[in-house]
Amino acid sequence: MGNVINNLHTYYHMTTRRNFLRNSALGIAAIAATPAAKIAAATTATTVNKDAFQPMRVSTLSYSFHGLVNAGMMDIFHYCETCKYRYGLEAADIWSGMFTSTDDDFIDKVYSALEDRQLVVPNIAVDGAHIMHAGDDDPKKLRATQDRYMQIAKRLGAGFVRFDAGPYMLNGRKEENGWTDQEFDFIVKRYKELAQFAYDNGFKVGAENHWGPEGHWKHTEKLIKAVDHPGFGICMHFGGWRGTPEENLAAEKAAAKYVAHTHIPWDCCEDPNLPQRLSVLRDAGYNGYYSVEQHSGQNEYNLVEAQLGKVKAVLTSWNRGGSGELYPTKEKDPNKRVPW
């Protein structure tokens, strides 16, 4: 009985495969007999017009998940999966804290993870590699780390690399007083070197306004003008400029034309004036990514999703000719009755 069943299975699968091959052959023959014009018309009808719209340039800095990283619940590969399949993003904005190794073998694995998911890297935010040393900093180690991440950026095809200018303000120094002349000359010279390498390899490098003298627009503007290189730019951390709220908004507008990347924290996403704040980049011709950053260290999946939703709402409104309003309102018709 078992042999009979086996023989029936064999006959069934052979018959099915023969029918498939037969039908396929007939299909190929039919295509061969079809006029080329009809084939072309059919192909055109089913081809997506990729010029109809552009992908939305939205991302989230992987530091947004530092709580999960610290709990051992996320690594750089899980982050790539999260960007692609949880949020439907096309970019991975990588914080250096997720590089558990900078060896070539590990970087090759990261490259494969990005390639498999078709994720671009608009930015690598490198902590612990500031330009100007202070206190117990090892200048040689800082420089070596900078050089290594420039190579990593080249390998991963990054658009921008952020190194803080530094230094830490020690011994009672105040960041608002800026750099000494000696520090400033050192910082400018090093940024010029890095900017040249970046420019030669198709990306940019620069500072971010989130700590140190860089948080004051007058100091960052001075730095930008002194470096004066097409390979240099800044990552603008919205809400990161020091001063009154009015001074912060003025700095965002003044800095917009120099921005190569941006980070948008929770409070800015919650600001009803988010469309107006982001519009300074659009009006300056910014074509980079609008990247959100979450700092809480808890409930990160949901909070990041909320931030992404706010930024996407603004960009979608712009794409449709709107002003970016987060919650569009319509004038009420006084003649129309509503049940509430």
Side-chain angles (χ1 to χ4, degrees):
M1 184 67 180
N3 290 335
V4 172
I5 292 174
N6 289 336
N7 289 337
L8 286 172
H9 279 304
T10 301
Y11 173 78
Y12 171 78
H13 288 298
M14 288 182 65
T15 303
T16 302
R17 186 167 64 87
R18 284 170 182 162
N19 288 339
F20 173 77
L21 293 173
R22 179 176 177 274
N23 291 337
S24 297
L26 290 173
I28 293 170
I31 291 174
T34 303
K38 289 187 178 180
I39 296 176
T43 303
T44 302
T46 57
T47 299
V48 174
N49 180 6
K50 295 183 178 179
D51 294 328
F53 59 88
Q54 295 296 321
M56 190 172 287
R57 292 179 175 269
V58 179
S59 59
T60 178
L61 179 64
S62 66
Y63 180 79
S64 298
F65 305 100
H66 68 275
L68 291 170
V69 171
N70 292 337
M73 298 171 67
M74 180 180 279
D75 61 14
I76 196 167
F77 304 105
H78 181 192
Y79 164 70
C80 290
E81 196 81 354
T82 298
C83 287
K84 184 68 175 183
Y85 299 110
R86 190 182 186 103
Y87 301 126
L89 302 176
E90 297 190 349
D93 182 0
I94 306 177
W95 163 56
S96 63
M98 278 197 170
F99 286 100
T100 54
S101 170
T102 57
D103 293 341
D104 285 342
D105 288 347
F106 183 80
I107 299 304
D108 286 344
K109 292 176 183 177
V110 174
Y111 180 88
S112 294
L114 294 165
E115 183 180 42
D116 288 346
R117 294 159 184 80
Q118 292 293 284
L119 294 169
V120 299
V121 181
N123 170 65
I124 299 176
V126 186
D127 288 343
H130 40 282
I131 304 299
M132 187 67 219
H133 55 276
D136 296 331
D137 288 336
D138 182 343
K140 292 182 179 179
K141 184 177 180 180
L142 291 175
R143 187 182 185 92
T145 303
Q146 294 157 16
D147 289 339
R148 180 57 185 146
Y149 272 99
M150 294 297 280
Q151 293 293 336
I152 291 172
K154 178 181 177 181
R155 173 73 176 104
L156 300 183
F160 181 75
V161 179
R162 186 269 284 159
F163 297 121
D164 291 308
Y168 291 111
M169 296 285 103
L170 304 175
N171 302 320
R173 292 181 60 183
K174 296 181 179 180
E175 60 181 30
E176 58 263 33
N177 293 332
W179 303 283
T180 66
D181 291 342
Q182 184 178 7
E183 288 172 340
F184 187 71
D185 290 344
F186 180 90
I187 292 169
V188 169
K189 180 181 178 181
R190 180 56 174 156
Y191 270 136
K192 281 180 177 286
E193 294 170 354
L194 294 169
Q196 187 60 54
F197 179 90
Y199 182 77
D200 291 342
N201 289 280
F203 61 99
K204 288 189 176 185
V205 67
E208 182 176 357
N209 60 312
H210 64 161
W211 69 275
E214 298 155 278
H216 297 263
W217 169 238
K218 64 179 181 180
H219 297 315
T220 294
E221 182 181 30
K222 178 182 176 182
L223 177 64
I224 293 169
K225 292 182 177 180
V227 176
D228 189 26
H229 196 289
F232 184 82
I234 63 170
C235 174
M236 185 158 73
H237 190 103
F238 273 85
W241 300 108
R242 307 299 187 265
T244 65
E246 292 74 21
E247 289 172 334
N248 201 306
L249 293 175
E252 289 175 1
K253 185 174 182 178
K257 61 184 177 181
Y258 303 110
V259 174
H261 190 63
T262 187
H263 288 145
I264 311 167
W266 174 266
D267 57 346
C268 291
C269 291
E270 289 292 287
D271 184 352
N273 295 315
L274 177 66
Q276 291 76 21
R277 295 180 73 172
L278 295 185
S279 69
V280 301
L281 294 177
R282 180 197 59 183
D283 295 344
Y286 179 70
N287 60 1
Y289 277 75
Y290 294 81
S291 190
V292 304
E293 182 175 356
Q294 171 59 221
H295 297 94
S296 70
Q298 54 189 321
N299 196 15
E300 291 163 320
Y301 286 125
N302 293 318
L303 295 179
V304 168
E305 186 171 22
Q307 287 178 258
L308 288 170
K310 291 290 183 71
V311 174
K312 285 182 177 181
V314 174
L315 301 187
T316 299
S317 176
W318 287 350
N319 290 342
R320 294 174 179 173
S323 64
E325 64 275 9
L326 289 175
Y327 193 80
T329 57
K330 296 181 180 179
E331 292 186 8
K332 293 183 179 179
D333 184 348
N335 298 317
K336 185 176 181 180
R337 298 183 62 185
V338 292
W340 57 83

